[in-house]
Amino acid sequence: MDAPDFEKKFQEIIDREIKIEPKDWMPEAYRKTNLRQISQHAHSEIVGMLPEGNWISRAPSLKRKAILIAKVQDEAGHGLYLYCAAETLGFDRAQMIDDLHSGKAKYSSIFNYPTLTWADMGAIGWLVDGAAILNQVMLCRTSYGPYARAMVRICKEESFHQRQGFESLLVLSKGTAEQKAMCQDAINRWWWPSLMMFGPKDSESTNSDQSIKWKIKRKTNDELRQQFVNMIAEQVKLLGMTLPDPDLKWNEEKKQYNFGEINWEEFWNVVKGNGPCNKQRLDARRKAHENGAWVREAAMAYAKKAAAKKKPVAA
Ligand SMILES: [Fe+2]
Ligand SMILES: [Fe+2]
């Protein structure tokens, strides 16, 4: 078989909904797209720990502290499953981490926004994890086996993340005037960046068509964004709060919400590394990596010793 035959066969396997596994033949572009997407996703989970980690020591009660620690720890676990999935595509983890630290690899821009008040913890859970879930539920059926399987487990934890965020905001929304104002302010600041999480418009997204054909993605950016708006526009009513969009309006004909235009200039600016916290996030990651050098060295020394012990002694 020459290359076009392989590609035809590959597409047939995808169309029959059979998962692609690490040792299967795959077009180089399929491997690269998955590698980029999975490693970016892993980086996002790890960098995503930073804005919330900042609030662990300032959580208002023991209960909230325990919930937040559990959530941040879950995100670390998500990062680890995803680095493992990315490694099955033949790329070294140390290299992936170097690419993150050098700024070569991207992660979700949402984590470049600052967390200014306690209500941001609720807004992140509800809106940011909420947006992530829509994307991730779709990815449970992605065509690359190791990615799909990692997502099944991750999604179970993500739904807890969203619930705890909403519940935390619900408590604030029933509190004092100050707490209500803090809740509304957090929603105002996180709403638009959350919509940006779905990526550029379909008309400007370069990878979309091929990713859908290969069933890496099953819904487009605009479809997922619309689904998110429809969901959140209803949930916000339960909080007695509003979304900061004067154009948000139910469209009876289309049975969906109309919403205003995203500030795409801000979107591209943050993607390019000029967000409010880009530098701070990468500095924190680099520092953590340097501080962890002794752990990596100790693990290597231990592995070496263990391997030497196993070796049969020469007669
Ligand atoms: Fe996560
Ligand atoms: Fe999460």
Side-chain angles (χ1 to χ4, degrees), residues 199-242:
K201 279 189 204 174
D202 292 349
S203 54
E204 282 166 37
S205 174
T206 43
N207 300 314
S208 244
D209 287 352
Q210 186 62 65
S211 285
I212 293 221
K213 195 172 167 225
W214 277 335
K215 298 189 199 279
I216 295 174
K217 288 174 74 164
R218 289 177 184 259
K219 285 183 182 172
T220 69
N221 295 355
D222 287 341
E223 283 168 347
L224 288 168
R225 187 161 22 235
Q226 182 67 56
Q227 205 183 333
F228 179 69
V229 172
N230 293 345
M231 178 176 88
I232 299 296
E234 287 302 313
Q235 291 178 354
V236 75
K237 292 178 190 168
L238 300 171
L239 294 174
M241 299 281 146
T242 56

Side-chain angles (χ1 to χ4, degrees), residues 8 19 45 62 74-77 95 114 126 132 135-136 184 228 246-247 250 283 311:
K8 203 174 148 233
K19 294 276 178 261
E45 301 283 353
L62 181 59
D74 282 353
E75 306 300 7
Q95 184 64 49
W126 178 44
N135 206 19
Q136 292 173 344
Q184 183 63 62
F228 179 69
D247 296 325
W250 177 249
D283 285 349
K311 261 189 209 160

Side-chain angles (χ1 to χ4, degrees), residues 89-100:
L89 290 160
F91 201 68
D92 187 50
R93 186 183 304 207
Q95 184 64 49
M96 282 185 250
I97 297 197
D98 280 353
D99 287 349
L100 171 68

Side-chain angles (χ1 to χ4, degrees), residues 78-250:
H78 299 171
L80 297 182
Y81 307 149
L82 289 166
Y83 281 128
C84 287
E87 279 182 315
T88 64
L89 290 160
F91 201 68
D92 187 50
R93 186 183 304 207
Q95 184 64 49
M96 282 185 250
I97 297 197
D98 280 353
D99 287 349
L100 171 68
H101 294 169
S102 70
K104 191 177 160 202
K106 296 265 176 275
Y107 56 87
S108 179
S109 286
I110 192 84
F111 303 117
N112 290 319
Y113 288 86
T115 42
L116 304 180
T117 71
W118 171 252
D120 288 24
M121 297 305 97
I124 289 183
W126 178 44
L127 297 175
V128 176
D129 289 86
I133 290 172
L134 289 185
N135 206 19
Q136 292 173 344
V137 163
M138 164 187 81
L139 290 172
C140 291
R141 291 168 57 233
T142 191
S143 57
Y144 188 55
Y147 195 20
R149 289 188 288 273
M151 276 302 133
V152 172
R153 182 154 177 194
I154 289 175
C155 277
K156 287 183 185 157
E157 293 173 347
E158 291 299 352
S159 60
F160 149 67
H161 296 174
Q162 195 191 20
R163 268 159 187 255
Q164 66 81 34
F166 185 79
E167 195 265 342
S168 172
L169 290 185
L170 193 61
V171 170
L172 291 176
S173 74
K174 289 180 180 155
T176 63
E178 213 182 345
Q179 286 172 319
K180 284 180 188 165
M182 188 166 78
C183 179
Q184 183 63 62
D185 169 64
I187 294 171
N188 291 350
R189 282 182 291 105
W190 289 95
W191 172 244
W192 290 106
S194 303
L195 288 189
M196 294 177 196
M197 283 175 73
F198 297 96
K201 279 189 204 174
D202 292 349
S203 54
E204 282 166 37
S205 174
T206 43
N207 300 314
S208 244
D209 287 352
Q210 186 62 65
S211 285
I212 293 221
K213 195 172 167 225
W214 277 335
K215 298 189 199 279
I216 295 174
K217 288 174 74 164
R218 289 177 184 259
K219 285 183 182 172
T220 69
N221 295 355
D222 287 341
E223 283 168 347
L224 288 168
R225 187 161 22 235
Q226 182 67 56
Q227 205 183 333
F228 179 69
V229 172
N230 293 345
M231 178 176 88
I232 299 296
E234 287 302 313
Q235 291 178 354
V236 75
K237 292 178 190 168
L238 300 171
L239 294 174
M241 299 281 146
T242 56
L243 297 174
D245 180 357
D247 296 325
L248 186 80
K249 209 176 157 213
W250 177 249

Side-chain angles (χ1 to χ4, degrees), residues 25-49:
W25 183 88
M26 61 185 85
E28 187 53 17
Y30 177 86
R31 192 184 70 83
K32 277 196 178 146
T33 304
N34 266 294
L35 183 59
R36 193 192 62 242
Q37 191 174 323
I38 303 171
S39 59
Q40 270 182 19
H41 193 163
H43 297 325
S44 303
E45 301 283 353
I46 298 297
V47 177
M49 296 164 74

